[in-house]
Amino acid sequence: GPPVYVDLAYLPGSWSARTVDEEFFRRVRSLCYVVSGDDHLKEGVLRALLDALLAGKHQWGTDTQVTLIPTFDSLVMHEWYQETHDRQQELGITVLGSNSTVAMQDETFPACKVEF
């Protein structure tokens, strides 16, 4: 069927992350993808998921900018970012890193602001 266009999509974690492949990114076209779930299962499939984003986005045939928002720090993410940075720029993919923190109810946590 035709692709679905959304503003924000959360990519599944744990075992469900294995279902996110190139075809997923061809069909679910989002302005922002959130990669959440800092767990060992996701770490094992993270590189394949990120490579699938590049391959799927290549098929869009438009100049749509995409923002990738990881919610955890990962060596796999860092390596992918460094190794594919030129390709990300060609495809209009921006990876957000956040050094900002939010304090709420005696707790602080990293955060980033996304506007549409």
Side-chain angles (χ1 to χ4, degrees):
V4 175
Y5 296 87
V6 296
D7 290 331
L8 180 70
Y10 282 86
L11 300 177
S14 290
W15 290 103
S16 298
R18 297 175 190 267
T19 65
V20 180
D21 57 9
E22 181 179 338
E23 185 66 18
F24 174 88
F25 289 108
R26 280 193 215 147
R27 293 179 180 261
V28 180
R29 299 181 181 185
S30 182
L31 296 176
C32 296
Y33 292 101
V34 176
V35 182
S36 62
D38 184 12
D39 61 49
H40 296 295
L41 296 174
K42 187 153 207 169
E43 192 75 15
V45 297
L46 184 58
R47 179 64 191 237
L49 183 146
L50 296 170
D51 288 340
L53 169 62
L54 294 176
K57 175 73 166 70
H58 177 75
Q59 301 298 318
W60 291 15
T62 65
D63 293 330
T64 304
Q65 287 293 121
V66 168
T67 302
L68 182 66
I69 307 168
T71 63
F72 59 96
D73 196 25
S74 161
L75 179 60
V76 172
M77 177 69 74
H78 286 279
E79 289 173 351
W80 175 83
Y81 180 83
Q82 293 297 323
E83 293 170 10
T84 65
H85 191 276
D86 291 339
R87 185 79 174 128
Q88 295 166 40
Q89 289 183 322
E90 290 172 14
L91 295 172
I93 297 172
T94 302
V95 179
L96 285 187
S98 178
N99 292 329
S100 300
T101 56
V102 173
M104 184 183 304
Q105 299 175 350
D106 298 327
E107 183 180 0
T108 60
F109 48 90
C112 67
K113 181 179 178 180
V114 179
E115 292 186 41
F116 298 99

